[in-house]
């Protein structure tokens, strides 16, 4: 049909219900239990049918029901109370007022390819997006001035369903923006605000949709509108869909489009935070903006961009770090490079660990690292893994000194904790668990909760999980046209009295979700045990192109059918935030079996722990830290490394079976005369009181603010004073040091006697160094000492600055120092030279180091 005129219809709310609309248009409601209850009371069936989306609910519920509610005094009283609480929340004092050292215009822009705010807004696929959503929620709660920017995908990530054989199929329902709490960003004249990005074949227009998450605003960029051709409209069609060409276009729109849109809106961010490398092209656009506006050179602009940039790397799996062939970068960025007067190789060099290797692919993670003053992994172990993965960015620097820090992930407690357990917290802990969840003293009061109350609450959550699983499976059977027998079986799946283990993640090979099925006979004995049975709840999606992941899912389905285990084992299709919420709130144990060290963090285990579930996990990701806090779970092995994956799988599956058989089931089913598993309950309390204070996003976001955001703000301010004199001076200094570095060397090293030194004494060291065109003010000379291996090599060590005692002729300098004998055994030291400047973001920023 042609000449179609579109129009929008909005619900007609009675005046007394007007505040429902205000609640519906801010995702604050999704972590406020009473607000959720308000929407459920409108019409529970419509609420569930609309994916728990308040805007859709108000648009689809009958007008008669709205009129009925408009005179319900009880409902109106609750509405007034919740609306007043939201108004107080949105207007309460912010983080800035408690941080007087921070400039009033301080604000952070947080860029991510996905955001998991709530299941009703389908612009996420898994852990990365859910973490980003929780980041925004806690920033809102803390009052940190932060803005999120992502992409609005027309079809989001795929929705999963299984065919009759158990093989994963994908469908891509549209996100209807007119039935979501999204508002189109407009210009001063009320028109659609757009920006343009030049691509090789055409220009793409980008618009933005505004979404409110408490006190935080999220902008979602969109290319699917009439101003673009069909190819350009497809850029924001699907999350992680399409080929490499689609991926690079998406990442150009995300990174460069974010900078352009913020500028068009008149927003001037203080700090840019890249959540994974997908948005790293924003650094190039910021460089261009500075070069054009302030006549900076490329290097000067790069310094200014780095000063205000923070980067978080997530996945340690190579496939999770996007790379592009050099020819593709040249295709997309030749005209960009020409526009700012640099060779395209300068851009390629920023994305290579070894810039001298012209065949090395361009890596988005490396670009993000090179364009940031602070980089971090998302768990302590993951930080160490990331330092090893990206160490070639800093050649000759010891791996333990690679400047990638670690800030362990967390969860947003109020969103993920069940309403029942939240009510117990309110009763026995008080409001402090909401306002100061990172205070360990708050959680000591968990001991005050009577065992019987905690256990009854947990049993109700397990019953609700079983009820949810039955409804969910039945709905899936109906959608695929299943038989009456299948529907009858769905009504009987699981047992609300049986020890329930949850296993849910992305079905990637390294995550090993089917490790519990390694010995099928042993698994059958566990689930069929006459007095101490277990039941397994699986869920998770495979990437559409991951055939092996899909085979794992089919194996689970076939295992259930072949052995008639629907009453003990279930696979819940279409894993999303809603399914995850029911699982982490209702299981007794959460099972996580990745191949160490390939799990970056694993926040689902934190969510389960917060609800009192006990973790069974490989000591990887967050659990490598969590297992040390108390007796609230079990570790599978001690983090051993294996040469062959088959051997690792065999050993660790055997250990898993042993733990379940010898420790877990006896503990769970050992009941006192009152029917309570007292020892199990004590572990539940330990899980909550030890894990929640550490593994929450209030602590995490505060740590980002203290360690990354505020220092980046200070560094940005210092380098931009006096017409960016600081960044220019730093850039010029780096250029001079790089040019002179080939002439820098350690000429000679002398020391005192090296045998039979007494503990507590010191070994005097003297070094003569050749600095060429540099001076002692440009470098730091260090004695690097520690234990040595059988090859007399230092694996890790401690750096000790030496003192310049004499300037000799011909660029030679003498340095002296004393290496402390603070350990016994065979030790070693080496002398090294590093560049030194007060404005460096970290001591290894240049990646230059000269060893003796």
């Amino acid at each position: 049909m042609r000449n179609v005129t579109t129009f929008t219809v909005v619900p007609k709310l009675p005046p007394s219900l007007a505040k429902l609309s205000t609640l519906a248009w801010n995702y604050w409601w999704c972590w406020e239990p009473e607000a959720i209850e308000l929407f459920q009371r409108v019409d529970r069936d419509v609420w569930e049918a609309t994916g728990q989306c308040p805007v859709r609910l108000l648009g689809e519920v009958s007008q008669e029901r709205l009129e009925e509610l408009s005179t319900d005094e009880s409902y109106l009283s609750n509405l007034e109370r919740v609306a007043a609480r939201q108004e107080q929340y949105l207007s309460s004092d912010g983080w800035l007022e408690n941080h007087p050292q921070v400039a009033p215009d301080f604000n952070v822009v947080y860029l991510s390819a996905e955001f998991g705010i709530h299941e009703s807004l389908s612009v996420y696929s898994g852990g990365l997006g859910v973490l980003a959503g929780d980041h925004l929620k806690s920033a809102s709660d803390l009052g940190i001035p932060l803005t999120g920017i992502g992409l609005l995908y027309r079809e989001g990530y795929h929705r999963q369903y299984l065919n009759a054989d158990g093989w994963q199929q994908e469908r891509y329902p549209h996100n209807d923006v007119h039935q979501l709490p999204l508002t189109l960003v407009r210009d001063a004249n009320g028109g659609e605000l757009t920006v343009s990005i030049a691509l090789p074949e055409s220009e793409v227009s980008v618009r933005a949709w505004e979404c409110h998450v408490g006190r935080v605003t999220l902008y979602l960029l969109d290319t699917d509108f009439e101003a673009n051709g069909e190819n350009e409209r497809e850029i924001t069609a699907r999350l992680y869909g399409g080929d490499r060409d689609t991926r690079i276009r998406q990442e150009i729109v995300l990174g460069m489009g974010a900078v352009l849109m913020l500028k068009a809106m008149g927003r001037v961010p203080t700090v840019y935070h890249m959540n994974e490398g997908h948005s790293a092209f924003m650094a190039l656009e910021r460089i261009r903006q500075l070069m054009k506006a302030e006549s900076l050179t490329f290097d000067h602009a790069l310094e200014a961009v780095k000063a205000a940039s923070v980067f978080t790397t997530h996945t340690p799996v190579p496939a999770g770090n996007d790379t592009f062939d050099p020819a593709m970068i040249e295709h997309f960025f030749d005209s960009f490079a020409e526009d700012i007067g640099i060779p395209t190789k300068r851009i390629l060099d920023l994305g290579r660990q070894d810039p001298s290797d012209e065949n090395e692919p361009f890596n988005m993670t490396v670009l993000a690292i090179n364009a940031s003053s602070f980089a971090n992994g998302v768990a302590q172990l993951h930080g160490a893994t990331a330092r090893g993965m990206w160490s070639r960015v800093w050649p000759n620097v010891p791996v333990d000194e690679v400047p990638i820090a670690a800030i362990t992930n967390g969860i947003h407690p109020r969103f993920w904790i069940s309403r029942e357990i939240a009510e117990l917290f309110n009763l026995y802990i008080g409001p402090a668990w909401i306002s100061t969840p990172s205070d360990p003293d708050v959680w000591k009061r968990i001991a005050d909760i009577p065992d019987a109350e905690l256990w009854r609450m947990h049993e109700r959550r397990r019953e609700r999980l079983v009820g949810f699983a039955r409804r969910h499976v039945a709905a899936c059977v109906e959608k695929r046209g299943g038989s009456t027998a299948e529907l009858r079986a769905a009504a009987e799946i699981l047992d609300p009295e049986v020890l329930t283990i949850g296993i849910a993640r992305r079905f990637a090979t390294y995550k090993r979700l089917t490790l519990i099925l390694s010995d099928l006979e042993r698994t059958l004995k566990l689930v069929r045990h006459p007095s101490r049975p277990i039941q397994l709840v699986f869920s998770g999606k495979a990437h559409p192109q991951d055939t092996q992941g899909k085979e794992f899912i089919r194996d689970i389905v076939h295992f259930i059918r072949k052995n008639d285990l629907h009453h003990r084992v279930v696979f819940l299709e279409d894993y999303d935030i809603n399914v995850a919420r029911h699982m982490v709130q209702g299981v007794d144990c959460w099972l996580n079996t990745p191949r160490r060290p390939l799990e970056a963090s694993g926040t689902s285990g934190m969510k389960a722990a917060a609800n009192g579930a006990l973790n069974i996990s490989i000591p990887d990701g967050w659990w490598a830290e969590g297992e040390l806090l108390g007796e609230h779970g079990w570790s599978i092995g001690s983090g051993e490394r294996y040469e062959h994956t088959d051997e690792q799988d065999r050993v660790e599956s055997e250990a898993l079976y042993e733990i379940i058989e010898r420790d877990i089931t006896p503990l769970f089913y050992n009941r006192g005369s009152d029917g309570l598993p007292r020892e199990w309950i004590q572990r539940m309390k330990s899980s909550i009181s030890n894990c929640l204070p550490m593994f929450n996003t209030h602590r995490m976001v505060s740590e980002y603010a203290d360690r990354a955001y505020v220092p980046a703000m200070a560094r940005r301010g210092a380098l931009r004073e006096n017409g960016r004199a600081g960044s220019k001076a730093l850039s010029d200094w780096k250029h001079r040091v790089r040019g002179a570095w080939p002439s820098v060397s350690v000429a000679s090293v002398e020391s005192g006697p090296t045998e039979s030194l007494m503990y507590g004494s010191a070994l005097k060291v003297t070094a003569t160094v050749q600095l060429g065109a540099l001076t002692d003010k440009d470098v730091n000379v260090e004695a690097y000492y520690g234990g040595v291996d059988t090859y007399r090599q230092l694996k890790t060590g401690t750096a000790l600055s030496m003192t310049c005692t004499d300037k000799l002729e011909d660029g030679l300098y003498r340095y002296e120092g004393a290496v402390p004998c603070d350990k016994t055994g065979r030790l070693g030291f080496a002398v090294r030279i590093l560049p030194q400047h007060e404005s460096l973001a970290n001591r290894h920023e240049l990646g230059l180091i000269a060893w003796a």
Side-chain angles (χ1 to χ4, degrees):
M1 289 181 285
R2 301 191 179 194
N3 301 320
V4 173
T5 301
T6 63
F7 57 97
T8 304
V9 179
V10 297
K12 181 183 178 181
L13 289 178
S16 59
L17 297 180
K19 291 180 179 178
L20 265 182
S21 180
T22 303
L23 290 173
W25 282 78
N26 189 315
Y27 270 107
W28 171 84
W29 65 264
C30 76
W31 68 91
E32 181 59 40
E34 283 195 272
I36 297 171
E37 185 180 19
L38 280 173
F39 293 120
Q40 289 175 332
R41 287 178 62 184
V42 171
D43 189 313
R44 185 175 292 272
D45 291 338
V46 177
W47 173 249
E48 295 296 337
T50 57
Q52 301 186 20
C53 177
V55 174
R56 286 188 62 193
L57 168 75
L58 297 180
E60 296 185 21
V61 70
S62 70
Q63 197 66 37
E64 290 77 12
R65 177 57 178 158
L66 292 176
E67 295 295 340
E68 180 183 346
L69 288 171
S70 71
T71 59
D72 185 328
E73 293 299 328
S74 171
Y75 188 86
L76 294 177
S77 175
N78 288 343
L79 174 59
E80 286 296 323
R81 183 174 62 253
V82 174
R85 188 179 304 147
Q86 183 195 51
E87 185 177 352
Q88 180 184 18
Y89 175 91
L90 297 177
S91 61
S92 59
D93 292 342
W95 177 85
L96 282 174
E97 297 188 18
N98 298 317
H99 292 77
Q101 78 278 18
V102 176
D105 63 347
F106 173 83
N107 66 98
V108 179
V109 168
Y110 182 84
L111 300 100
S112 181
E114 48 176 303
F115 283 93
I117 307 297
H118 183 263
E119 60 265 30
S120 61
L121 184 59
S122 182
V123 291
Y124 69 95
S125 72
L128 176 70
V130 172
L131 183 279
D134 283 4
H135 194 114
L136 298 195
K137 295 183 184 98
S138 280
S140 171
D141 288 344
L142 294 167
I144 294 177
L146 182 143
T147 300
I149 296 190
L151 297 179
L152 178 62
Y153 305 97
R154 182 180 67 229
E155 298 171 355
Y157 196 57
H158 75 268
R159 306 303 300 268
Q160 176 198 61
Y161 68 97
L162 304 185
N163 66 15
D165 188 43
W167 188 259
Q168 174 180 296
Q169 305 287 307
E170 297 86 31
R171 58 187 179 89
Y172 294 89
H174 284 201
N175 280 317
D176 185 348
V177 294
H178 301 294
Q179 293 191 357
L180 290 169
L182 304 176
T183 304
L184 191 62
V185 176
R186 299 189 178 276
D187 59 26
N189 298 319
E192 192 172 83
L193 181 64
T194 64
V195 296
S196 294
I197 301 174
L199 296 176
E201 301 84 8
S202 63
E203 283 200 349
V204 58
S205 290
V206 182
R207 63 182 179 182
W209 296 84
E210 183 176 311
C211 175
H212 294 286
V213 185
R215 289 183 278 186
V216 164
T217 301
L218 170 63
Y219 292 104
L220 297 174
L221 306 181
D222 174 24
T223 67
D224 184 27
F225 59 105
E226 295 80 2
N228 290 315
E230 183 177 348
N231 290 337
E232 288 71 37
R233 296 185 71 157
E234 289 297 308
I235 292 174
T236 55
R238 295 177 179 177
L239 173 59
Y240 305 141
D243 54 16
R244 305 307 297 168
D245 185 77
T246 300
R247 180 64 64 87
I248 195 171
R249 291 170 188 269
Q250 285 185 336
E251 297 186 348
I252 287 171
V253 168
L254 173 60
M256 305 179 84
V259 176
L260 293 168
M261 185 59 70
L262 288 168
K263 181 183 179 183
M265 290 190 293
R267 303 286 297 271
V268 183
T270 309
V271 177
Y272 289 77
H273 185 173
M274 294 172 279
N275 187 44
E276 198 58 284
H278 306 114
S279 60
F281 287 135
M282 73 89 184
L284 300 182
E285 185 57 42
R286 287 172 61 202
I287 287 171
R288 172 159 59 183
Q289 297 289 329
L290 287 171
M291 291 178 70
K292 297 287 187 181
E294 302 184 29
S295 300
L296 301 182
T297 67
F298 180 83
D299 290 329
H300 294 169
L302 175 60
E303 291 305 324
V305 167
K306 289 183 66 170
S309 297
V310 171
F311 169 58
T312 298
T313 180
H314 286 261
T315 176
V317 180
N321 296 272
D322 285 341
T323 60
F324 300 104
D325 291 336
M328 180 170 279
I329 296 298
E330 291 168 351
H331 176 68
F332 279 91
F333 286 96
D334 271 350
S335 60
F336 174 92
E338 182 179 356
D339 182 43
I340 59 176
I342 63 167
T344 310
K345 186 180 184 303
R346 292 298 309 276
I347 296 173
L348 284 165
D349 288 350
L350 287 176
R352 288 171 169 157
Q353 293 202 64
D354 181 4
S356 66
D357 183 359
E358 296 189 0
N359 295 316
E360 181 179 332
F362 182 92
N363 191 297
M364 295 296 286
T365 299
V366 176
L367 172 61
I369 287 171
N370 282 326
S372 301
S373 60
F374 180 89
N376 70 280
V378 292
Q380 297 301 315
L381 178 58
H382 176 238
T385 302
R387 287 191 285 275
M389 281 185 68
W390 308 111
S391 61
R392 288 196 302 123
V393 176
W394 301 271
N396 298 319
V397 173
V399 172
D400 63 315
E401 291 190 358
V402 166
I404 298 179
I407 295 180
T408 303
N409 279 345
I411 65 162
H412 186 265
R414 293 201 74 200
F415 183 82
W416 290 104
I417 288 174
S418 73
R419 181 165 186 176
E420 291 82 0
I421 197 170
E423 289 174 351
L424 282 182
F425 290 171
N426 290 336
L427 182 61
Y428 290 98
I429 297 177
W433 80 271
I434 295 173
S435 59
T436 55
S438 301
D439 183 355
D441 290 337
V442 168
W443 298 103
K444 291 178 181 178
R445 302 174 198 165
I446 287 290
D448 297 336
I449 301 177
D451 288 356
E453 284 194 56
L454 181 61
W455 186 246
R456 282 198 300 270
M457 174 280 302
H458 180 65
E459 288 194 306
R460 285 198 298 272
R461 289 308 314 175
R462 193 188 315 113
E463 290 170 2
R464 290 194 181 185
L465 170 61
V466 171
F468 169 80
R470 290 173 177 176
R471 294 190 303 273
H472 188 82
V473 171
C476 292
V477 170
E478 286 184 347
K479 284 181 181 178
R480 69 166 177 263
S483 65
T484 303
E486 287 181 287
L487 286 173
R488 282 198 300 267
E492 300 174 354
I493 64 171
L494 303 180
D495 184 333
E497 303 295 329
V498 169
L499 168 63
T500 305
I501 299 176
I503 311 114
R505 308 192 111 57
R506 180 166 55 88
F507 267 79
T509 304
Y510 74 91
K511 291 181 180 286
R512 301 189 301 180
L513 273 77
T514 56
L515 193 69
I516 186 66
L517 305 181
S518 298
D519 185 335
L520 296 181
E521 289 303 315
R522 205 164 175 181
T523 303
L524 288 171
K525 288 181 181 179
L526 284 170
V527 299
R528 290 172 172 169
H529 196 283
S531 60
R532 298 196 305 240
I534 70 168
Q535 57 191 11
L536 306 174
V537 181
F538 289 92
S539 192
K541 297 177 180 178
H543 188 278
Q545 298 174 5
D546 185 358
T547 300
Q548 189 167 9
K550 293 182 179 183
E551 288 176 349
F552 289 151
I553 294 172
R554 185 170 59 182
D555 288 345
I556 294 170
V557 173
H558 284 197
F559 172 69
I560 296 169
R561 292 176 180 171
K562 179 181 178 181
N563 299 283
D564 191 24
L565 293 177
H566 62 272
H567 61 299
R568 284 287 186 269
V569 185
V570 63
F571 181 88
L572 300 180
E573 297 177 32
D574 202 24
Y575 188 49
D576 66 356
I577 289 176
N578 187 39
V579 174
R581 191 165 50 237
H582 281 87
M583 288 184 66
V584 299
Q585 292 176 0
V587 299
D588 299 295
C589 293
W590 192 259
L591 179 60
N592 184 29
T593 53
R595 289 197 180 99
R596 177 176 161 131
L598 299 181
E599 180 77 273
S601 178
T603 55
S604 57
M606 302 177 189
K607 295 158 191 159
N611 283 282
L614 308 186
N615 274 268
I616 317 165
S617 180
I618 298 292
D620 197 7
W622 81 282
W623 186 246
E625 301 162 56
E627 67 170 339
L628 305 177
L629 299 177
E631 291 189 353
H632 45 252
W634 295 267
S635 290
I636 305 167
S638 301
E640 298 87 353
R641 295 289 188 94
Y642 297 84
E643 185 176 353
H644 300 291
T645 57
D646 289 347
E647 175 69 6
Q648 181 175 2
D649 293 351
R650 185 191 65 78
V651 171
E652 291 178 342
S653 65
E654 175 70 23
L656 171 59
Y657 285 118
E658 290 285 328
I659 289 169
I660 296 174
E661 293 165 350
R662 296 186 179 183
D663 297 331
I664 296 176
T665 53
L667 193 71
F668 181 84
Y669 287 104
N670 182 20
R671 309 294 170 95
S673 57
D674 55 5
L676 297 178
R678 295 283 182 177
E679 291 183 52
W680 188 277
I681 295 170
Q682 291 310 306
R683 289 198 178 218
M684 289 177 63
K685 291 183 176 182
S686 176
S687 179
I688 296 169
S689 62
N690 289 328
C691 293
L692 255 175
M694 173 62 186
F695 303 107
N696 67 80
T697 43
H698 280 46
R699 185 274 311 157
M700 181 194 81
V701 175
S702 295
E703 196 170 343
Y704 274 113
D706 293 339
R707 295 179 59 189
Y709 298 162
V710 173
M713 176 208 68
R715 179 173 162 80
R716 169 184 178 268
L719 293 185
R720 73 198 302 255
E721 289 179 352
N722 302 318
R724 300 197 184 275
S727 61
K728 293 176 182 177
L730 179 59
S731 175
D732 292 342
W733 176 84
K734 285 184 176 181
H735 181 75
R736 179 168 62 86
V737 168
R738 287 192 179 102
W741 202 254
S743 299
V744 173
S745 65
V746 179
S748 64
V749 177
E750 299 175 358
S751 70
T754 58
E755 295 298 327
S756 302
L757 297 176
M758 297 297 294
Y759 176 85
S761 63
L763 175 64
K764 184 178 180 181
V765 177
T766 301
T768 301
V769 300
Q770 170 60 252
L771 300 184
L774 304 180
T775 73
D776 59 315
K777 305 298 182 185
D778 296 317
V779 302
N780 187 28
V781 177
E782 299 176 337
Y784 182 79
Y785 68 97
V788 294
D789 60 19
T790 55
Y791 299 100
R792 297 168 55 89
Q793 295 298 307
L794 287 161
K795 292 302 182 183
T796 60
T798 302
L800 176 74
S801 292
M802 300 176 68
T803 303
C804 183
T805 59
D806 199 4
K807 178 180 179 180
L808 309 175
E809 57 185 18
D810 298 326
L812 293 171
Y813 293 78
R814 180 175 291 117
Y815 282 77
E816 294 182 356
V819 174
C821 299
D822 53 5
K823 296 179 183 178
T824 59
R826 196 65 174 170
L827 306 176
F829 78 90
V831 174
R832 65 185 189 179
I833 310 170
L834 288 77
Q836 174 180 264
H837 193 282
E838 62 181 4
S839 296
L840 288 176
N842 61 73
R843 61 205 312 265
H844 291 303
E845 184 179 345
L846 271 73
L848 299 175
I849 187 167
W851 291 88

